[in-house]
Amino acid sequence: MIRIALFCTSLWLCAGAASAQEIRVRSGEHGSFTRLALDIPDGLGWQTEYVAPRRIELRFDGRGYRFDSSDVFARINTERLSGLDPLPGGAGLALEFGCDCVAEAFLAEPGMLVLDIRPGEPPQMADASGPMPEEKRPLSGIRVGPQPGIGPSPARNPLLPVFVPQRATEPELALPERIEAADRMDPAALGRTLAEQLATAASDGLLSPSRNGLPQRLAATDAPTADAARDDANDHGMPVPELAGAHSQIEAAILGREPADMQTRVRIGGTGCVADGALDIASWGTDETFDKTIPELRRRLYGEFDTLDPEILTDLVRAHVYIGFGAEARALLELLPDRRDPVLYALAGIVDGGTDRAGVFAGQTGCEGAAALWALAGAPELPEEAEVDDRSVRRAFEALPATLRPVLGPTLATRLAEAGHSEAARNLLSRLARSGGASDAEMRFSQAQIDRLEGAVQEAHSVLEDLSHGAGAHAPDAVAATIALASENGAPVNARMTDLSAAYSTELRATEKGPELWLAHLRALAANDRFEDAFEAFRNGDDMPEEHRRAAASELLTALSAQGADTGFLQEAVPRRAEYATLVQADVALTVARRLLGLGLADEAMAWASLPVLDRESRERRLLLSEIHLARSDPQQAEIALIGLQGDDALALRAQARAMMGDYSYAQTAFGALGEDGAARSAAWLAGDWAALGEGEDALAAAAELLGSALPDDVGPQPSLAVVEALATSGAETRDTLRALLEQTRLAEE
């Protein structure tokens, strides 16, 4: 029994050692400081603690890690870092300093933990004779992960007081379970939760942006840290983290907001549906609103001593919304910015053809009431799988004043079709046509948009092209929609439409329609294979919004990769890779990398496949990396990239890697499982599996049969004519077989 127990224990220890994760430690000298770089898994929590004046401990969440630090002191001296030892149980590393130094730890990128060691005054220690016990360690350790902070973890710090409520309510009774759930929460999920809660508080007016600049210490240390990280990344062939300037961008975004402006509030979701009582617009006016009501309210707006009457102001704003004068309504609301009604402000923007930038109606398309209509009309774009109560939208539309139906009807119909309610969209358009509110051009444009969404391409294209040649208000929109439709279906764009897009994109560049028309012009140029002009126009679009520049870069590079000439493709993909690194989508980066690999540029393909927009663990990227490593004659790395992947595509790449490494038996089996008989027979030939080559009529089968044949054992001093004839026949067959083999394996002439 003892021997069995020892054997089981040894198996458990071996399994634990085999499953231990290795963390590679690299080093480099950077003038005034020494740097250590550790390749850690994404999301791994870590903390640093001073346990002596010249000793710190770097601890990770969990235990059992193995550290590869064999090359650390080959690149640095021991002036600053004199010792590096693993902690017991593989919990982290202990760093010994050779001077009075301090260490700064930070994440240069999600998978790279950096420690910079530079001369400095270490923190005062209570006892410098050796490592301090856990309960007496100073409050200087930096902790990240599910419970970020400074100092020991709250779960193991007995010095912190514990609050015990006198009377526990139902939510308080569930507090321990919530804390335990938060401890198990993924750091990324915790960050999203906090962001959503902060955004909701800001939306409700509980928080306002701070106008204080970022700390001077951060601004002063940001640039050197970025330069050092860039130098270290260049030393080790790693991607360069873009750190410099991040603080200035954040500060600029904050300072560009006005705390009292509801349009700058951030909203994620909503706190409920806006009540129908606040949206009863039909009761805000009559047929005499423009001629009598508004002049009368203006006369009474200011009372004695020129005092503004808030109630009269509200009635006047509602009257302007009733007749569709949104800009005038917003101007009136600016008279009392501190008491401005956010619902009225949002309605004023929507009836004027704008969007609900304040997010007052965000997430309310599924409400059973008028809020569904205003949420649908004011949404900049519908979220995926958004719930829309089309019945509530149609009921609210019927209750609108006649002055607002032609303004909102086409937009509502298009949004309903985008949400998958095509029948409701057509029903709304028919109601609008019966009321005689909208013009014929507006109705046709909305109908064409619905046809486009339903896949009726020819009908939509015919109507849109006809509208684009007119002089109506929808002509620019029709041009953009026509080109977008052609781009979606891979159809060319005629010269006249291309010229119209160029004219509109220049004429309306500074308007709200400018970005869409600019993007439409780029699409037209790309559809006609005028890539040089398209990319020149793209580089001249620095004034365009970032989202449109991202869409343009991704669409142009996708089209160029699919149908562009090799020369033009290489001119954009190779020298300008850094310009597109933060603009293109992940699938576009992979598309460009595949085109480069097809042209034999494996190193350039690897550079595109390593852009930060790509998920390092995505299946598509790992398969492409394997192909790149095979092209670079590195089968070991090719197979490493495939670890954990299943499927025929991964098996085919794995078989090629094994064949390159000389494991022809595995390659033969893998190719046979994939049904690639030719590759399987070639691998069997190289593996010497003659039995597997016996079946067939090709040269390999003939060679296998020839190898299995044998000469007569004893021909004697005077062989018979039969034996001589057999030998001659065998020799001729051997020559023919060898010729066939040479012909089959002949190298292609370059």
Side-chain angles (χ1 to χ4, degrees):
M1 291 298 293
I2 295 177
R3 285 183 295 178
I4 294 176
L6 290 175
F7 177 74
C8 294
T9 303
S10 64
L11 287 179
W12 176 77
L13 290 175
C14 291
S19 61
Q21 189 164 6
E22 184 177 87
I23 296 178
R24 184 186 175 198
V25 186
R26 291 163 290 129
S27 62
E29 291 287 355
H30 294 275
S32 61
F33 65 94
T34 299
R35 166 161 293 182
L36 294 182
L38 291 82
D39 296 330
I40 64 175
D42 291 353
L44 176 63
W46 54 271
Q47 62 180 358
T48 59
E49 295 182 86
Y50 281 87
V51 295
R54 292 193 176 187
R55 178 185 174 93
I56 68 168
E57 291 182 359
L58 170 64
R59 293 181 174 272
F60 296 100
D61 290 352
R63 302 169 65 87
Y65 297 98
R66 292 186 289 109
F67 300 93
D68 180 9
S69 58
S70 56
D71 296 331
V72 169
F73 291 98
R75 299 175 58 90
I76 63 174
N77 54 42
T78 57
E79 178 182 354
R80 301 186 185 99
L81 180 65
S82 60
L84 184 67
D85 300 306
L87 293 176
L93 290 172
L95 287 73
E96 294 286 347
F97 299 155
C99 64
D100 291 336
C101 296
V102 293
E104 178 186 7
F106 61 93
L107 285 174
E109 59 181 87
M112 185 172 74
L113 173 63
V114 172
L115 286 90
D116 288 345
I117 305 169
R118 63 184 81 236
E121 190 67 25
Q124 296 294 326
M125 310 296 297
D127 183 6
S129 60
M132 301 173 60
E134 182 71 25
E135 64 271 16
K136 294 184 179 181
R137 287 182 178 170
L139 303 177
S140 60
I142 301 175
R143 209 173 57 254
V144 300
Q147 290 184 306
I150 300 177
S153 173
R156 50 185 177 83
N157 184 7
L159 302 180
L160 294 179
V162 178
F163 173 73
V164 180
Q166 297 298 321
R167 176 181 294 178
T169 62
E170 287 297 328
E172 291 168 346
L173 290 174
L175 184 60
E177 289 78 5
R178 285 164 32 206
I179 293 177
E180 182 180 356
D183 289 340
R184 297 192 303 266
M185 186 180 294
D186 178 71
L190 178 61
R192 288 192 298 270
T193 301
L194 292 175
E196 291 175 1
Q197 292 175 353
L198 287 173
T200 302
S203 302
D204 295 337
L206 302 178
L207 297 176
S208 295
S210 172
R211 300 186 69 88
N212 297 329
L214 294 182
Q216 294 298 321
R217 176 180 174 274
L218 176 60
T221 59
D222 190 36
T225 302
D227 292 339
R230 193 171 286 106
D231 292 341
D232 185 75
N234 290 333
D235 288 347
H236 300 290
M238 295 177 292
V240 178
E242 294 297 332
L243 300 176
H247 69 280
S248 60
Q249 296 175 10
I250 296 173
E251 187 172 7
I254 293 176
L255 295 180
R257 296 176 178 269
E258 292 294 336
D261 188 1
M262 280 301 298
Q263 297 294 73
T264 64
R265 296 289 183 188
V266 182
R267 175 176 293 273
I268 295 181
T271 55
C273 300
V274 177
D276 286 350
L279 303 173
D280 187 13
I281 299 178
S283 65
W284 293 357
T286 62
D287 293 340
E288 299 179 344
T289 296
F290 182 79
D291 297 327
K292 295 183 179 180
T293 306
I294 290 180
E296 176 65 19
L297 290 174
R298 283 188 175 276
R299 186 182 63 81
R300 298 165 48 198
L301 183 59
Y302 288 93
E304 190 177 3
F305 306 112
D306 290 335
T307 303
L308 185 66
D309 190 332
E311 294 183 2
I312 299 297
L313 177 64
T314 300
D315 292 340
L316 187 58
V317 170
R318 289 177 174 176
H320 280 86
V321 170
Y322 177 87
I323 62 175
F325 284 21
E328 291 77 3
R330 291 198 303 273
L332 289 169
L333 288 170
E334 293 295 342
L335 297 177
L336 283 179
D338 295 338
R339 302 180 60 179
R340 185 170 59 198
D341 187 342
V343 175
L344 282 178
Y345 199 86
L347 292 176
I350 296 172
V351 300
D352 209 31
T355 59
D356 177 20
R357 293 183 300 150
V360 174
F361 297 100
Q364 300 181 38
T365 55
C367 292
E368 295 183 358
L373 179 147
W374 296 102
L376 191 66
E381 59 181 9
L382 288 178
E384 294 184 5
E385 300 180 358
E387 295 184 4
V388 177
D389 190 339
D390 61 293
R391 293 185 178 181
S392 295
V393 172
R394 283 180 285 173
R395 285 197 301 267
F397 181 77
E398 290 292 333
L400 285 176
T403 52
L404 294 183
R405 292 181 187 176
V407 176
L408 300 176
T411 300
L412 289 171
T414 303
R415 292 292 170 80
L416 283 171
E418 291 174 351
H421 300 274
S422 299
E423 291 300 324
R426 296 185 186 279
N427 180 273
L428 190 145
L429 281 180
S430 64
R431 296 185 183 194
L432 184 60
R434 287 195 300 269
S435 66
S439 67
D440 180 63
E442 291 173 331
M443 296 283 293
R444 293 177 65 200
F445 180 77
S446 182
Q447 184 67 52
Q449 293 288 76
I450 297 175
D451 290 338
R452 174 189 172 190
L453 293 170
E454 289 187 328
V457 177
Q458 294 298 331
E459 294 83 350
H461 184 272
S462 176
V463 174
L464 290 173
E465 189 171 16
D466 183 56
L467 290 174
S468 65
H469 295 159
H474 286 292
D477 299 327
V479 169
T482 302
I483 295 175
L485 189 62
S487 178
E488 292 171 1
N489 294 275
V493 178
N494 59 52
R496 183 177 180 182
M497 191 66 63
T498 304
D499 293 339
L500 278 174
S501 66
Y504 279 130
S505 65
T506 302
E507 180 183 352
L508 304 177
R509 191 180 186 94
T511 67
E512 292 183 356
K513 297 181 179 180
E516 284 297 330
L517 292 169
W518 173 78
L519 183 58
H521 181 52
L522 297 184
R523 287 169 174 165
L525 294 174
N528 295 326
D529 294 341
R530 294 172 55 184
F531 292 110
E532 185 175 352
D533 296 335
F535 280 99
E536 182 180 358
F538 169 76
R539 282 187 280 276
N540 292 331
D542 294 337
D543 56 329
M544 292 294 115
E546 189 72 9
E547 60 177 322
H548 288 80
R549 285 181 55 80
R550 291 178 182 274
S554 296
E555 291 185 21
L556 289 180
L557 285 175
T558 300
L560 182 64
S561 301
Q563 59 201 50
D566 292 345
T567 303
F569 171 76
L570 294 176
Q571 286 176 346
E572 287 296 328
V574 176
R576 301 184 184 277
R577 183 186 69 249
E579 300 178 18
Y580 299 115
T582 58
L583 292 176
V584 298
Q585 300 173 356
D587 57 338
V588 177
L590 292 176
T591 299
V592 175
R594 290 191 185 95
R595 173 74 184 270
L596 289 168
L597 183 61
L599 294 174
L601 300 176
D603 292 339
E604 292 298 331
M606 177 63 76
W608 274 89
S610 302
L611 291 182
V613 297
L614 290 166
D615 180 7
R616 294 188 174 188
E617 299 301 322
S618 70
R619 177 183 178 85
E620 293 77 10
R621 178 180 182 271
R622 292 173 64 185
L623 291 172
L624 179 59
L625 286 181
S626 181
E627 294 183 47
I628 294 173
H629 286 306
L630 289 174
R632 298 166 80 174
S633 299
D634 192 354
Q636 291 85 356
Q637 290 298 324
E639 190 164 11
I640 289 174
L642 299 172
I643 292 177
L645 296 184
Q646 303 295 328
D648 291 348
D649 47 4
L651 181 60
L653 293 172
R654 193 173 285 114
Q656 296 178 42
R658 290 293 187 92
M660 291 180 68
M661 289 187 286
D663 189 356
Y664 300 113
S665 297
Y666 179 91
Q668 173 191 353
T669 305
F671 284 130
L674 294 170
E676 300 182 12
D677 296 335
R681 291 178 66 80
S682 298
W685 166 264
L686 295 172
D689 188 357
W690 314 118
L693 298 172
E695 299 179 359
E697 298 180 357
D698 56 0
L700 296 179
E705 183 180 358
L706 179 64
L707 186 66
S709 63
L711 294 174
D713 294 335
D714 186 11
V715 297
Q718 294 182 348
S720 64
L721 292 176
V723 171
V724 172
E725 184 178 0
L727 290 175
T729 303
S730 176
E733 293 177 354
T734 302
R735 288 193 303 271
D736 294 340
T737 301
L738 292 176
R739 288 194 186 97
L741 279 175
L742 291 173
E743 186 64 28
Q744 182 174 331
T745 58
R746 181 189 299 274
L747 296 177
E749 296 182 2
E750 297 183 356

